[in-house]
Amino acid sequence: MVAEKIISQFTQPFYINNHEINISVSIGITLLPDHSTDFSTLLKYADLAMYHVKSLGKNSYKFFDKT
C-alpha cells in the first residue's frame, strides 16, 4: 500500500520555473529477514526487483522473488 501511494504521488506533474516535469517511478522491495539480513544483499535484491519493474513498463513496484 505504501508503494502504491508513493507511485500515485509521482504520477502528478511537477512544475519548476513554469516547466512541467513528469517522472516515472519503479520500486523494488525486499524483506528483512525473508530475503537476507545483510544490507548489501538486500540492496542488490531490491535493485534486481526494480530493474524487473522497469523492464515491464515502469510506474509500478515488485517484491524480490528468488525464483
Side-chain angles (χ1 to χ4, degrees):
M1 192 157 81
V2 173
E4 289 173 357
K5 287 182 180 182
I6 292 169
I7 292 167
S8 72
Q9 291 299 308
F10 282 101
T11 58
Q12 304 300 317
F14 294 88
Y15 293 91
I16 300 174
N17 295 329
N18 295 322
H19 296 281
E20 183 176 311
I21 309 295
N22 293 287
I23 62 172
S24 64
V25 179
S26 299
I27 300 173
I29 302 170
T30 54
L31 300 174
L32 175 80
D34 296 353
H35 298 130
S36 181
T37 57
D38 174 65
F39 175 77
S40 295
T41 303
L42 287 169
L43 188 59
K44 179 177 96 174
Y45 289 166
D47 204 36
L48 288 170
M50 178 197 63
Y51 279 108
H52 186 245
V53 168
K54 287 179 176 243
S55 74
L56 298 175
K58 305 177 185 177
N59 281 326
S60 191
Y61 64 94
K62 180 170 178 22
F63 285 88
F64 173 76
D65 183 2
K66 289 185 179 184
T67 57

